[in-house]
Amino acid sequence: SSLNIAILMNEGNTLKDVNVEPKDDKGEASEYSTLFRAIKDIKKDEEILMDYADYDTDYNAAGIGHHVEQSKMEAVKTYVRHAAM
């Protein structure tokens, strides 16, 4: 795997905040691309935000798989608690 400019980008808090996405040289969405295209107008001084879900991350290879799974389980428990209210 290779690193690209995405390591310097933050993620939008919601999908409405996202203003770029990875696209290949033909303009097609691609999780393997190192190219990014604006998906809406970006104003001067506006932060460039992506959706981290555009990339498949092997958290186990990064050594944090257990923490990620634990976080997912906590998120599910929180969702279930709130849905039951």
Side-chain angles (χ1 to χ4, degrees), residues 49-61:
L49 299 169
M50 64 176 291
D51 180 4
Y52 289 164
D54 285 337
Y55 288 96
D56 184 25
T57 303
D58 185 348
Y59 294 104
N60 288 323

Side-chain angles (χ1 to χ4, degrees), residues 57-73:
T57 303
D58 185 348
Y59 294 104
N60 288 323
I64 59 171
H66 173 73
H67 298 292
V68 170
E69 289 305 315
Q70 192 174 24
S71 295
K72 286 180 185 175
M73 289 304 298

Side-chain angles (χ1 to χ4, degrees), residues 4-50:
N4 63 41
I5 194 69
I7 66 169
L8 301 175
M9 289 186 212
N10 286 322
E11 182 176 38
N13 291 323
T14 68
L15 288 179
K16 288 184 193 178
D17 298 330
V18 173
N19 52 22
V20 296
E21 67 183 0
K23 298 221 175 178
D24 64 19
D25 57 355
K26 295 177 185 162
E28 300 292 323
S30 171
E31 70 176 276
Y32 302 107
S33 179
T34 58
L35 301 174
F36 285 82
R37 304 274 196 263
I39 56 175
K40 60 184 175 183
D41 289 340
I42 302 172
K43 296 179 176 99
K44 182 181 177 187
D45 297 325
E46 182 179 353
E47 185 173 13
I48 296 174
L49 299 169
M50 64 176 291

